[in-house]
Amino acid sequence: MKQPLILLVILLLAQSGMGGAQEALSLENAIALALENNFAIRIARTEVEIDRNNVSLGNAGLLPTLTATAAESRSINDARQEFYNGSLIDRNGAKSDNRSLGVAMNWTLFDGLAMFSTYAKLRTFREMGELETRIAIEDNLAQVINAYHDLVQAQKNLKAVEEAVSISEKRMQIAEANYKMGSGSKLDLLDARVDLNEDHSAAMRAALAVANARIALNRLMGRVADFDFMTSDSIRLQGDLALSVLEQQMLSANQALLLSRKNLSAAELANKAASGPRLPKIGLNVGYNLARTESQAGFIKSSENQGLTYGLSASYTLFDGFNISRNKQNAEITVRANELRLREMEQAFQAQLRQNHAQYRANLEMISLESDNLTVSR
């Protein structure tokens, strides 16, 4: 049983990249690779381009629309026409052709400031999309950092287990020697063999954990799962962090809070736009038309008309079933709801920050104590 276990451990170590020449990967390099290759980050960067393209004067309704129309029709009729003067027109298969060509421009000059609010909302949506992209990047980079540290911890655990295997092998050798010399019992030998097998099993589990952690990190960096590399054998720690500084940075730079503030800005713009229908709407229209008709029956053989048309239009909603007032009230409620969401989020992040800071300080003290214990144990 001993030999198969040893061979399996060696195989897992080889597959997990613990032997041979390997690429040295620092945490900074892992982050750089994720920024370049991580699929979630690349998708987020692609999607924000839609929000950027949507910010245009035409999409907000600030530019005129220009349309061109063309039509042609033909008819064939049998016509018989009698007049009071005694004349008669009797034609079979009389053809009639109608052709028209026109260009028209329509431009909304004023719509209660709704189009200006729409343009402002489009810019806000673009900024919100960029914030969502940064959130996606931060979330994925946090996963990369955690995966890197998990791999470092798995490698250190494997190293510790390997040392335990080495010690158990020496104990096994001593137990065998004692048993052969008659100074040790077979029970001691069997106990040593059981301990060695248990350590071999722990080594296999540790090697598998290293392989899985490496696969997870490769996925987050956008690389093939079996790409071989090695990481640092330690994790750098920062000293005590000032809570007041962290809180100030969180309130000013936290992407989720910034996104919530943009949501509030969008709600305020929608509230302004809700008052737009209470004002008149004014539009400008300009057109040029050309029409020609040819007929083999009737009074006129052919006719042609061309000319310019232009005018202003104005409309005002006198009553719409109180829908304008209802929409305005709903917009104001939405603003208040977004204000409450922002305050709730700020409070939740402040509480979470204090909890994390307290846990961080406690962990620093525990690391110091464990370091002292390690020195004494050695």
Side-chain angles (χ1 to χ4, degrees):
M1 181 177 180
K2 177 178 177 181
Q3 290 296 337
L5 285 173
I6 296 176
L7 291 176
L8 184 56
V9 171
I10 295 174
L11 178 61
L12 286 172
L13 291 178
Q15 290 179 346
S16 64
M18 293 303 296
Q22 299 165 318
E23 172 196 0
L25 181 71
S26 65
L27 178 57
E28 292 76 11
N29 291 337
I31 291 174
L33 286 171
L35 286 173
E36 181 179 357
N37 301 321
N38 182 277
F39 286 102
I41 292 177
R42 291 165 64 183
I43 291 171
R45 286 173 174 166
T46 301
E47 290 177 343
V48 76
E49 294 178 6
I50 298 176
D51 296 318
R52 293 170 181 164
N53 290 335
N54 286 336
V55 181
S56 65
L57 296 176
N59 194 25
L62 289 166
L63 298 179
T65 59
L66 186 64
T67 57
T69 58
E72 180 177 1
S73 63
R74 172 173 292 186
S75 61
I76 301 176
N77 299 295
D78 296 335
R80 178 181 176 83
Q81 298 173 330
E82 296 183 8
F83 301 95
Y84 285 106
N85 60 4
S87 60
L88 174 65
I89 297 177
D90 188 1
R91 291 179 181 272
N92 293 324
K95 298 179 181 179
S96 177
D97 294 326
N98 297 279
R99 299 181 180 87
S100 64
L101 179 66
V103 179
M105 183 192 73
N106 291 281
W107 194 356
T108 301
L109 301 177
F110 182 78
D111 65 347
L113 302 178
M115 52 188 175
F116 298 101
S117 298
T118 300
Y119 186 67
K121 283 196 297 183
L122 291 174
R123 288 186 298 179
T124 302
F125 291 154
R126 178 194 61 194
E127 295 168 354
M128 292 170 62
E130 293 173 348
L131 288 173
E132 290 172 348
T133 300
R134 295 193 194 116
I135 291 174
I137 292 174
E138 289 182 355
D139 289 343
N140 282 275
L141 291 185
Q143 295 180 38
V144 170
I145 294 171
N146 289 333
Y148 187 91
H149 288 165
D150 289 342
L151 179 55
V152 172
Q153 183 175 358
Q155 290 174 341
K156 293 179 74 66
N157 183 56
L158 177 58
K159 185 177 180 181
V161 173
E162 288 173 339
E163 292 178 356
V165 170
S166 178
I167 294 174
S168 294
E169 288 176 345
K170 293 178 180 179
R171 288 185 58 217
M172 180 69 182
Q173 294 172 0
I174 295 173
E176 286 178 342
N178 290 336
Y179 178 70
K180 290 179 181 179
M181 291 186 299
S183 60
S185 66
K186 190 173 183 179
L187 180 61
D188 293 336
L189 176 61
L190 294 177
D191 287 340
R193 180 171 295 176
V194 169
D195 292 340
L196 178 59
N197 290 338
E198 290 179 351
D199 288 338
H200 279 309
S201 297
M204 286 189 292
R205 291 192 296 271
L208 181 60
V210 170
N212 289 337
R214 181 177 285 107
I215 292 172
L217 183 55
N218 274 328
R219 181 186 66 82
L220 291 171
M221 294 187 298
R223 301 200 298 192
V224 293
D226 58 351
F227 193 91
D228 195 12
F229 64 92
M230 61 180 296
T231 63
S232 170
D233 60 353
S234 63
I235 299 174
R236 290 185 305 230
L237 297 176
Q238 289 184 330
D240 193 11
L241 300 175
L243 179 60
S244 59
V245 176
L246 293 175
E247 187 171 10
Q248 182 179 2
Q249 292 176 345
M250 180 198 68
L251 293 175
S252 61
N254 184 281
Q255 303 300 319
L257 287 178
L258 294 177
L259 181 59
S260 180
R261 292 179 184 130
K262 287 298 178 183
N263 276 321
L264 176 58
S265 298
E268 291 171 346
L269 290 171
N271 185 30
K272 293 180 181 179
S275 302
R278 293 176 175 172
L279 299 175
K281 184 177 181 179
I282 301 174
L284 170 66
N285 57 83
V286 180
Y288 181 83
N289 295 282
L290 171 64
R292 179 176 177 81
T293 302
E294 297 179 358
S295 177
Q296 295 179 350
F299 292 105
I300 302 174
K301 180 179 180 181
S302 66
S303 66
E304 182 176 300
N305 296 300
Q306 57 179 316
L308 179 69
T309 60
Y310 56 90
L312 290 173
S313 63
S315 62
Y316 182 74
T317 302
L318 299 176
F319 181 74
D320 69 340
F322 303 107
N323 288 322
I324 297 176
S325 299
R326 177 179 55 80
N327 292 335
K328 177 65 175 177
Q329 292 174 356
N330 290 341
E332 293 174 349
I333 294 173
T334 302
V335 170
R336 293 199 300 270
N338 277 275
E339 290 175 345
L340 292 174
R341 290 192 187 97
L342 177 58
R343 291 172 56 187
E344 179 188 24
M345 185 175 293
E346 289 176 345
Q347 187 180 62
F349 276 127
Q350 286 175 334
Q352 183 179 357
L353 176 62
R354 293 179 181 276
Q355 291 175 348
N356 292 342
H357 186 262
Q359 183 65 47
Y360 181 76
R361 295 188 61 182
N363 289 340
L364 288 179
E365 295 179 0
M366 291 173 62
I367 290 174
S368 178
L369 293 175
E370 294 296 338
S371 298
D372 292 340
N373 291 338
L374 179 60
T375 301
V376 173
S377 298
R378 285 176 176 171

